[in-house]
Amino acid sequence: MNLNISKNWHQRHRESLNYGGRIADMVAKGMGSWRFIIIQTIFVIAWMGLNMVAYVKHWDAYPFILLNLVFSTQAAYAAPIIMMAQNRQSERDRLQAQDDYNTNKEAKIEIEALAAKLNAIEVEKLDKILKILEEMK
């Protein structure tokens, strides 16, 4: 018995992911959230605020070159990780589409079988009606 048939497309895809794939999906999910945007906004405001009002030492004075470097580094790593997650999303979509196609094929076969059975029942009823009419003559 093939146990893979009883699993849906999502379970099959989830089991096929390696460690790097799961991490990329988690990073992309985290970076694509309001929580991340809010935390990053607070971080930037705090960074700029502390550098603007610092009395003793500005570790990253205006125009915030170090902050730009941090964002550039973040973007350099985020872009390929997000692309990996998008590639996996495409694979998930392909698996789901294939599963939907297989389900539709099975449903079509069942509908055709039901239509044939209903047709046979209809023909049988018509034959009985004709037989009754002939007996009435």
Side-chain angles (χ1 to χ4, degrees):
M1 182 172 136
N2 189 355
L3 295 176
N4 206 21
I5 293 173
S6 64
K7 295 179 182 178
N8 65 28
W9 63 270
H10 189 267
Q11 291 167 329
R12 290 191 308 264
H13 178 74
R14 194 89 169 129
E15 289 175 356
S16 72
L17 285 179
N18 59 16
Y19 182 70
R22 285 191 294 268
I23 287 178
D25 285 346
M26 287 188 299
V27 169
K29 184 178 178 182
M31 291 185 86
S33 69
W34 278 108
R35 181 175 185 233
F36 177 78
I37 292 171
I38 291 168
I39 289 171
Q40 186 156 336
T41 302
I42 291 169
F43 172 77
V44 168
I45 290 170
W47 182 289
M48 290 177 166
L50 289 172
N51 275 291
M52 297 287 252
V53 299
Y55 289 115
V56 177
K57 183 165 169 66
H58 299 277
W59 70 88
D60 188 21
Y62 182 82
F64 309 112
I65 294 171
L66 183 58
L67 182 61
N68 282 327
L69 178 65
V70 168
F71 283 144
S72 296
T73 305
Q74 177 188 18
Y77 283 98
I81 290 172
I82 291 170
M83 288 176 68
M84 285 188 281
Q86 287 175 336
N87 288 341
R88 268 185 299 293
Q89 180 63 45
S90 295
E91 178 65 16
R92 281 190 295 263
D93 291 345
R94 189 192 64 72
L95 287 172
Q96 184 178 13
Q98 183 64 44
D99 195 48
D100 289 346
Y101 173 75
N102 291 339
T103 301
N104 290 341
K105 271 180 42 179
E106 291 171 10
K108 180 182 180 233
I109 291 169
E110 288 180 21
I111 289 169
E112 288 172 348
L114 285 173
K117 190 171 186 177
L118 286 173
N119 191 29
I121 291 171
E122 191 67 32
V123 168
E124 186 180 311
K125 282 183 181 180
L126 287 173
D127 286 344
K128 284 182 182 178
I129 291 172
L130 287 174
K131 185 177 178 184
I132 291 171
L133 286 174
E134 286 179 4
E135 289 174 359
M136 291 174 81
K137 287 184 180 179

